[in-house]
Amino acid sequence: MNINSTAPIIYPIIVPTSSTLLSFNFYLVKNQDKLFLVDAGLDSEKCWLYFNHVLKENGFKLNDINGIILTHSHQDHTGIVNRVLSLHEIPVYAHQSSLDRLARNETFLNKRIDFFRSLYSEMGCKEMGEKQVKLLQKKAKQNQYQAIKAKILPLKEGDRIYGFKVIETPGHWPDHIALLNPESGILLGGDHLIQHISSNALIEPDELGKKISTLQQYERSLKKCKDYALTVTYPGHGEIVEDPKELIKKRLNGIESKSEKIRKIISNKQPCTAAQVAQTYYEHKYDSEFSLVMSEIIGHLYRLEGLNKISKKQKNSEWHYYSCG
Ligand SMILES: [Zn+2]
């Protein structure tokens, strides 16, 4: 280690919430004479107040901030970006694949809606799927105000920014990155690794509107991070992760055992659609948390198919799953 190097100073901005996420976390970071923000909470007065409090408490002003880096394009990570930029124009960095999502590009959003329409239909979701597609259409119009009003500077694997290395960690979301300071082992991990809940590997299309096996991506991203000498991870929600390697192991085991439970359901019910598997596994949550539940089940079905543990046949335009052996 370079004896002149000093570890980055992290000033956490932890905004509590009554939801299971516990908190919305974002971070003011001082490193190599630069001050920058990693993520930006929700677009709420509360997040704005907590942000200003942390700035002031540590003797900083808004004008001292050199840039903003976004770990991914979820709205609980991009919230106050526009408000900061309206007062102080600075560069905003994010993964190169997040540009359409951050800009809420209409063509992309329509492609995304088409993707979910055919996915839910193939997975046997019938009217629940149609209801969800209508909700997506409504949200696409309503949430236009969330578009980030800045030219995003694109990042990719291996880029260096303010003394941190960009690590692509798709899975929870296709444009997810983590930021590693190799000297100290500090990882600013976004939603890649959360202590108290397992991150959802949400089903999403890629930039062209095509299918991705997000759970398998997430597994690869977890394994990739296991190979780095991590000392601590600063997450997007909940407590700071003091033993990231142990948590990665736990998450990988969790994926494995959930997949096995889902494989057993298929082997008992076969042939069955993804919607039928979801109703068996999640019961009433199939109605109350439809999109999350389907995301989980479809993620595991793609994974099991990838491992040749299940197979599928199309009948009346719906996929029917079978267990292999
Ligand atoms: Zn997220």
Side-chain angles (χ1 to χ4, degrees):
M1 193 198 275
N2 181 345
I3 48 162
N4 293 320
S5 70
T6 46
I9 306 170
I10 316 282
Y11 304 96
I13 304 162
I14 312 281
V15 185
T17 165
S18 54
S19 82
T20 53
L21 295 172
L22 297 182
S23 60
F24 299 104
N25 306 348
F26 49 120
Y27 301 93
L28 199 58
V29 183
K30 176 102 187 157
N31 194 37
Q32 297 183 343
D33 295 325
K34 298 284 186 197
L35 185 69
F36 55 101
L37 198 58
V38 174
D39 287 339
L42 274 178
D43 181 14
S44 72
E45 205 50 37
K46 196 171 169 184
C47 282
W48 183 250
L49 289 175
Y50 274 69
F51 162 63
N52 278 285
H53 176 75
V54 171
L55 266 180
K56 204 172 154 197
E57 193 181 49
N58 294 288
F60 299 118
K61 288 191 230 44
L62 187 67
N63 286 349
D64 295 329
I65 301 179
N66 298 99
I68 304 174
I69 311 174
L70 300 172
T71 59
H72 62 302
S73 56
H74 276 167
Q75 50 154 312
D76 56 344
H77 293 255
T78 63
I80 64 165
V81 170
N82 286 338
R83 198 158 170 184
V84 169
L85 296 180
S86 70
L87 299 167
H88 177 47
E89 220 173 297
I90 43 174
V92 180
Y93 301 88
H95 189 259
Q96 54 190 11
S97 68
S98 70
L99 306 189
D100 283 344
R101 286 184 165 89
L102 288 170
R104 299 196 66 79
N105 176 298
E106 211 181 311
T107 313
F108 170 73
L109 291 182
N110 287 334
K111 249 187 260 176
R112 183 174 182 266
I113 291 168
D114 290 343
F115 166 83
F116 280 107
R117 184 183 293 110
S118 52
L119 180 72
Y120 291 144
S121 154
E122 280 172 16
M123 292 301 176
C125 302
K126 302 188 168 58
E127 54 285 343
M128 278 304 286
E130 288 161 27
K131 212 166 110 186
Q132 181 62 22
V133 167
K134 286 211 177 87
L135 188 71
L136 287 175
Q137 285 167 326
K138 201 169 129 191
K139 275 196 194 161
K141 284 203 187 93
Q142 272 177 357
N143 295 347
Q144 265 318 322
Y145 73 95
Q146 287 170 349
I148 298 302
K149 297 180 186 81
K151 190 177 179 303
I152 307 292
L153 299 168
L155 296 172
K156 59 175 188 324
E157 177 77 21
D159 282 353
R160 295 268 175 169
I161 175 119
Y162 305 138
F164 281 77
K165 189 177 158 190
V166 173
I167 302 174
E168 290 174 350
T169 44
H172 166 66
W173 204 242
D175 57 26
H176 200 289
I177 55 167
L179 300 163
L180 173 72
N181 177 251
E183 291 78 19
S184 64
I186 291 174
L187 186 79
L188 292 152
D191 287 354
H192 182 53
L193 203 56
I194 299 172
Q195 187 70 54
H196 68 287
I197 41 171
S198 53
S199 305
N200 298 307
L202 295 157
I203 287 293
E204 267 294 306
D206 66 10
E207 296 144 87
L208 303 170
K210 298 268 177 294
K211 159 192 160 176
I212 321 174
S213 183
T214 49
L215 184 60
Q216 285 183 292
Q217 257 189 348
Y218 182 55
E219 244 181 325
R220 282 194 293 273
S221 294
L222 282 173
K223 285 177 183 162
K224 182 174 169 184
C225 286
K226 208 170 69 173
D227 292 338
Y228 290 108
L230 303 183
T231 52
V232 62
T233 296
Y234 290 89
H237 305 280
E239 280 175 26
I240 287 155
V241 182
E242 303 287 357
D243 193 349
K245 294 230 165 188
E246 199 49 43
L247 189 58
I248 290 173
K249 245 191 263 167
K250 190 175 160 187
R251 293 289 172 251
L252 287 169
N253 289 339
I255 293 170
E256 190 72 49
S257 65
K258 192 164 183 178
S259 262
E260 187 48 26
K261 282 183 197 153
I262 290 169
R263 193 197 59 77
K264 278 190 185 141
I265 290 177
I266 295 170
S267 124
N268 290 334
K269 287 183 85 81
Q270 62 186 338
C272 53
T273 63
Q276 287 164 338
V277 177
Q279 280 160 321
T280 309
Y281 192 100
Y282 285 104
E283 299 174 348
H284 64 275
K285 277 194 182 169
Y286 176 76
D287 290 320
S288 59
E289 291 175 47
F290 174 79
S291 67
L292 272 181
V293 156
M294 282 315 295
S295 189
E296 275 294 302
I297 295 297
I298 294 169
H300 280 278
L301 294 180
Y302 287 169
R303 178 180 186 271
L304 288 165
E305 260 190 287
L307 297 171
N308 293 319
K309 292 191 175 180
I310 59 169
S311 64
K312 64 178 191 290
K313 274 185 203 152
Q314 206 163 25
K315 205 166 74 186
N316 305 328
S317 79
E318 289 176 356
W319 289 114
H320 291 252
Y321 288 88
Y322 299 80
S323 173
C324 301

